[in-house]
Structure formats: structure tokens, C-alpha cells
């Protein structure tokens, strides 16, 4: 089952004779055992199985396995949100006193998580431009750097990450590259094929696809050799006293060590689980992901071209446009399409952007992107409002930027709506 379309529909779940065709919702907090010894083996990570849904749940694991197949990874876990996925992915390998290098063009929530909240936990971040040179990237690393982080397609700046260049810099410095692949989805880009080591998702976006459930996912490529950099990653390569001295890389190999540690320590202690109901909805979303992504991209391309030719539009950013700064990179990393999100500036700046948005009838104003219904947002007055002008600039967000998430409605209806709102 090698093709992505088939993996979307059937990946991760192969029912046996007489078993449910659809992934069952196991809506149970706990699981029953005959003996305390049986349960003890699970607590010691000596046997696989379920005992409490804060740690693991069969529905969530099945859907995680589907995403794992889509990305081509070796292990995956669902989380309660994309925020939790990015937090866990970094905190699993970085502690107080450590340092992480991240692209500055990332989701506002992730920027805040890194620059404010994780900084309070004692982890330092250096932000680099997604368009930096190799030398600039190298210069950002320190002896205590534990990871490099970026987004395949940045939300909302829509910069395309040079994944190969970032991966080789990470590996030169003996750390993994973590890529948030939310906007591209594995249908349009599989970062592991370009050298990334860990992939994260806000499944809230295209994967769910219908704006129905908040969720996240972490996938491990299984390729990063933690033992080769053991002094940097004692959490994975030395005994975990909270599990009777388990050494994750020894017991689970490099294929499963990262996800097992994140599940058994971070999920145990922070508990940002996805509910089985939400995981079920996510599983249904994944079944049509390949079909939806194609339509999102086709319509977005038409609309980006329309906006680019409109006299009231100052600029358009969509990597599918020939003149776009990221077009060439998109041809390499996203040959089949990028995503349904376009950003553009309305002539007249902030005020004109707000007026334009009020006049839209089909597209709605929402703090969301990447679902079936077209929506738009003015980041400078919403998601990014805590940022200074300089930080906005670094994140690639100008004050007049409107983020338009093209849904699955008729592209003609959407173009007519934009036309009347632009006036
Ligand atoms: C939305 C988003 C997140 C955060 O995900 P939530 O599910 O809202 O917590 C992280 N990264 C990217 C790229 C996003 O678009």
C-alpha cells in the first residue's frame, strides 16, 4: 500500500475478519486486567497495552498510525492540539539551560510558546530568517543547541522552508530538524524525504478539514541517531528513574525511542490528550485529505491569480504564482500544490483591509484556516497582535496582510465575493 491516496483512506487500520470496517471509538478511560502483574508490566514499559487513556488509547493510536504511514515515519502520537505537539516535540529533547534554533516565520502561537512560555522554563530560542544563508544558520547554533525548528509553509507568512538546507545544518551540528508540516500536509510534502527528523501537525487544520476538532500529532522518522549524540540527549540515552531505569534508545531503538519517551513522560505528566471522539473525526477527515487538498490548491491558485491582477490589491503571496519569491522552492518541495491559504495586501493598508473583510459574504472572518469553509483573518489585529512591528516584520506579517483560507466552495462564487468586497 504505497500510494498516498490509499494510505489516506486505509492507513493505520486493517480490520480482521468480522471486525468493524470503520475505526471504532474506544470511549473508555480505563482498561481491565486479570492480575496486578499484568498491569505492572505495562507500568514498567515491559509490555505493550492500554491501561489509562491519558497515556494511550486505541482509537488515538490507530489514527496516529495512519498519519505515521502518510508521513513515512516509524512512530507517532496524537496530542490534544498542535500547540501541545510542538511543545512536546521540543520539550522532549530540550531542558532548562538548553537552546533551540527556530525559523522566525512560524505560527504566532508557536512563536509565543517558544519566545515567552518556554523561555520562562529556561529554554533559549534563537530565531533565524527562513531565507538566511547557510553561514547565518550555522552561526545561530551553540554548544547547548538541541533542535532546529521550522514550518514547511509558514502560517501566515507563507514562506516555503528550504528543508534540505535546514536538515543539513541541523545534522552538521548533531541535532534533529523538527518540521511543522500542518499547511502542506503529507499529501503535498513529506519532510522526511528531504532529511527532516521529526514532523509535527496541527491536525485541527486540513487533516480534520471540517473545523470540527482541535488536535495535534507528532511523527518520528526513526532516523535520528540519539546514541551518536548521547551527551546531548541524556533523557533518551540514560536511565529514566521514573520508569525503573528504562533507557529509551536501548529498549525501543531509534525508531520508537522519541515517541515512547514523549508518551510515557510528557503525556503522563502534562496530559494533553486528544479525545477518542476527536481522533475518530480526524480519521474520517484523513480519508478525504488527498481529494480535498487537490481542490483547495486548485481554487487557491485561481483566486491568487485573480487577486494578483486586481487593481485594489497591493501584493499577493502564494507560492503557486510564477513571480512569487518562493515559487522556485515550491516547485522543488511542493510540486503537486502547496495549500489553500493565500495572503495579500489591500491597497490603503490596515483600514482598507478591515473594511474589505467586513463586506465579504461567502468568506467569513474567523481565527481559523484550512477547512472546508472559506475564511479570512487580519493577523496584525488578531493572532499576531501581541507582537511588535519588528517582530511582525521578522515573522513576515505586514500590517495590511489579509490571510485568506480558500475552502471547498465554488471558486466562481468566491471570486465574485472577493470582487464585490474589493469594490
Ligand atoms: C494552528 C497551527 C498550530 C497550532 O495548532 P492548534 O491545533 O491550534 O493548537 C501550530 N502550527 C501551525 C502551522 C498552525 O497552523
Amino acid at each position: 500500500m504505497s500510494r498516498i491516496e490509499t494510505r489516506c483512506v486505509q492507513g493505520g487500520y486493517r480490520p480482521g475478519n468480522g471486525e468493524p470496517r470503520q475505526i471504532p471509538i474506544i470511549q473508555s478511560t480505563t482498561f481491565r486486567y486479570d492480575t496486578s502483574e499484568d498491569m505492572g508490566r505495562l507500568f514498567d514499559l515491559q509490555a505493550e497495552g492500554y491501561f489509562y487513556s491519558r497515556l494511550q488509547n486505541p482509537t488515538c493510536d490507530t489514527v496516529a498510525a495512519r498519519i505515521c504511514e502518510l508521513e513515512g515515519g516509524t512512530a507517532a502520537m496524537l496530542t490534544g492540539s498542535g500547540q501541545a505537539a510542538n511543545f512536546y516535540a521540543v520539550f522532549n529533547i530540550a531542558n532548562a539551560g538548553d537552546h533551540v534554533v527556530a525559523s522566525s516565520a512560524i505560527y504566532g502561537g508557536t512563536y509565543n510558546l517558544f519566545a515567552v512560555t518556554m523561555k520562562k522554563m529556561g529554554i533559549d530560542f534563537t530565531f533565524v530568517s527562513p531565507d538566511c544563508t547557510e553561514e547565518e544558520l550555522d552561526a545561530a547554533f551553540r554548544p547547548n543547541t538541541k533542535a532546529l525548528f521550522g514550518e514547511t509553509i509558514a502560517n501566515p507568512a507563507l514562506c516555503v522552508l528550504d528543508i534540505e538546507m535546514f536538515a543539513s545544518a541541523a545534522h552538521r551540528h548533531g541535532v534533529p530538524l523538527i518540521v511543522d508540516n500542518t499547511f502542506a500536509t503529507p499529501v503535498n510534502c513529506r519532510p522526511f524525504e528531504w532529511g527532516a527528523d521529526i514532523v509535527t501537525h496541527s491536525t485541527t487544520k486540513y487533516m480534520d478539514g471540517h473545523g470540527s476538532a482541535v488536535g495535534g500529532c507528532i511523527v518520528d522518522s526513526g532516523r535520528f541517531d540519539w546514541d551518536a549524540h548521547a551527551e546531548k540527549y541524556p533523557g533518551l540515552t540514560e536511565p529514566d528513574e521514573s520508569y525503573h531505569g528504562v533507557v529509551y534508545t536501548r529498549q525501543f531503538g531509534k525508531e520508537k525511542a522519541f515517541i515512547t519517551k514523549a508518551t510515557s513522560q510528557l503525556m503522563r505528566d502534562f496530559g494533553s490528550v486528544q479525545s477518542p471522539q476527536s481522533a475518530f473525526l480526524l480519521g474520517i477527515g484523513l480519508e478525504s485529505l488527498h481529494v480535498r487538498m487537490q481542490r483547495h490548491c486548485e481554487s487557491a491558485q485561481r483566486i491568487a491569480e485573480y487577486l494578483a491582477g486586481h487593481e485594489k490589491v497591493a501584493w499577493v503571496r502564494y507560492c503557486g504564482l510564477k513571480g512569487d519569491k518562493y515559487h522556485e522552492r515550491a516547485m522543488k518541495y511542493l510540486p503537486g500544490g502547496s495549500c489553500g491559504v493565500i495572503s495579500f495586501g489591500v491597497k490603503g493598508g490596515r483600514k482598507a483591509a478591515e473594511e474589505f473583510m467586513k463586506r465579504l459574504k461567502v468568506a467569513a472572518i474567523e481565527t481559523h484556516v484550512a477547512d472546508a469553509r472559506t475564511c479570512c483573518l487580519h493577523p496584525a489585529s488578531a493572532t499576531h497582535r501581541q507582537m511588535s512591528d519588528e517582530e511582525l516584520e521578522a515573522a513576515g506579517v505586514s500590517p495590511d496582510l489579509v490571510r485568506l483560507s480558500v475552502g471547498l466552495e465554488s471558486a466562481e462564487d468566491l471570486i465574485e465575493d472577493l470582487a464585490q468586497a474589493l469594490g
Side-chain angles (χ1 to χ4, degrees):
M1 227 170 62
S2 60
R3 290 178 183 80
I4 198 88
E5 295 84 350
T6 310
R7 281 185 265 160
C8 282
V9 181
Q10 296 199 17
Y13 181 59
R14 289 170 190 88
N17 192 36
E19 286 181 354
R21 189 70 184 103
Q22 181 55 281
I23 297 170
I25 305 174
I26 308 296
Q27 193 68 45
S28 183
T29 56
T30 191
F31 300 81
R32 170 194 175 277
Y33 287 92
D34 288 338
T35 70
S36 298
E37 290 78 29
D38 288 342
M39 190 173 285
R41 277 191 285 279
L42 300 178
F43 270 91
D44 284 351
L45 303 178
Q46 298 300 331
E48 273 190 48
Y50 297 96
F51 53 97
Y52 190 53
S53 286
R54 168 150 49 75
L55 273 291
Q56 279 183 285
N57 169 280
T59 308
C60 296
D61 281 358
T62 303
V63 176
R66 177 166 294 174
I67 298 173
C68 191
E69 281 189 34
L70 287 172
E71 289 288 4
T74 55
M77 68 195 283
L78 296 190
T79 57
S81 65
Q83 287 298 104
N86 282 326
F87 173 53
Y88 284 16
V90 175
F91 199 59
N92 204 32
I93 46 175
N95 299 315
D98 288 340
H99 173 255
V100 174
V101 181
S103 161
S104 60
I106 52 175
Y107 175 64
T110 310
Y111 180 83
N112 208 59
L113 168 70
F114 290 173
V116 181
T117 301
M118 291 185 78
K119 187 161 170 49
K120 282 187 206 156
M121 301 169 79
I123 301 170
D124 259 339
F125 287 81
T126 298
F127 294 95
V128 294
S129 162
D131 303 322
C132 63
T133 63
E134 272 191 296
E135 293 69 34
E136 287 164 341
L137 190 49
D138 277 334
F141 284 82
R142 302 178 192 165
N144 61 340
T145 302
K146 298 299 168 79
L148 176 61
F149 182 95
E151 292 178 6
T152 310
I153 305 171
N155 174 12
L158 303 180
C159 313
V160 178
L161 190 72
D162 190 343
I163 303 174
E164 265 189 334
M165 195 260 250
F166 270 61
S168 66
H171 298 157
R172 258 198 309 285
H173 295 274
V175 308
L177 172 64
I178 303 173
V179 173
D180 180 332
N181 196 33
T182 298
F183 267 25
T185 83
V187 169
N188 285 336
C189 179
R190 289 173 297 283
F192 295 157
E193 294 173 4
W194 301 101
D197 302 284
I198 311 280
V199 158
T200 59
H201 282 281
S202 165
T203 62
T204 317
K205 313 292 165 53
Y206 289 116
M207 284 191 167
D208 171 276
H210 301 80
S212 47
V214 173
C217 184
I218 309 173
V219 189
D220 185 5
S221 68
R223 285 198 306 247
F224 192 81
D225 191 351
W226 309 104
D227 283 320
H229 308 282
E231 74 297 343
K232 274 199 178 121
Y233 303 105
L236 284 155
T237 59
E238 289 176 16
D240 176 0
E241 294 317 326
S242 69
Y243 279 103
H244 307 295
V246 153
V247 176
Y248 291 99
T249 49
R250 195 178 305 153
Q251 190 158 330
F252 302 100
K254 65 180 194 295
E255 293 76 18
K256 292 201 157 61
F258 185 90
I259 293 293
T260 306
K261 176 179 182 288
T263 302
S264 46
Q265 291 180 348
L266 302 182
M267 207 51 112
R268 177 194 64 189
D269 297 349
F270 294 113
S272 320
V273 288
Q274 189 164 144
S275 79
Q277 290 277 349
S278 294
F280 174 77
L281 291 170
L282 170 57
I284 291 185
L286 291 170
E287 289 177 13
S288 61
L289 183 65
H290 53 303
V291 181
R292 291 184 290 104
M293 285 313 287
Q294 192 178 348
R295 176 61 74 88
H296 280 296
C297 293
E298 277 168 18
S299 294
Q301 182 71 31
R302 283 182 59 186
I303 289 168
E305 284 167 12
Y306 168 77
L307 289 171
H310 200 288
E311 57 175 15
K312 299 230 170 111
V313 173
W315 55 270
V316 181
R317 150 108 331 126
Y318 187 66
C319 63
L321 291 178
K322 283 223 169 57
D324 189 79
K325 185 176 169 192
Y326 295 99
H327 186 68
E328 209 175 305
R329 225 178 256 172
M331 289 293 101
K332 172 173 173 178
Y333 293 108
L334 303 153
S338 56
C339 66
V341 184
I342 299 168
S343 60
F344 62 99
V346 180
K347 279 189 187 158
R350 180 185 285 258
K351 191 94 197 76
E354 283 169 0
E355 289 304 315
F356 154 78
M357 284 172 60
K358 268 187 223 160
R359 285 193 293 268
L360 289 167
K361 294 189 171 71
V362 180
I365 300 175
E366 288 173 33
T367 318
H368 200 243
V369 283
D371 76 50
R373 289 159 292 262
T374 297
C375 59
C376 62
L377 181 82
H378 184 228
S381 54
T383 46
H384 286 58
R385 65 181 297 133
Q386 76 285 1
M387 286 190 172
S388 69
D389 282 358
E390 297 77 62
E391 286 169 343
L392 279 177
E393 200 63 49
V397 180
S398 57
D400 65 343
L401 185 152
V402 174
R403 181 182 70 185
L404 178 72
S405 172
V406 177
L408 300 176
E409 303 93 341
S410 145
E412 282 77 17
D413 284 347
L414 294 172
I415 289 174
E416 281 170 23
D417 191 32
L418 293 166
Q420 66 79 23
L422 285 166

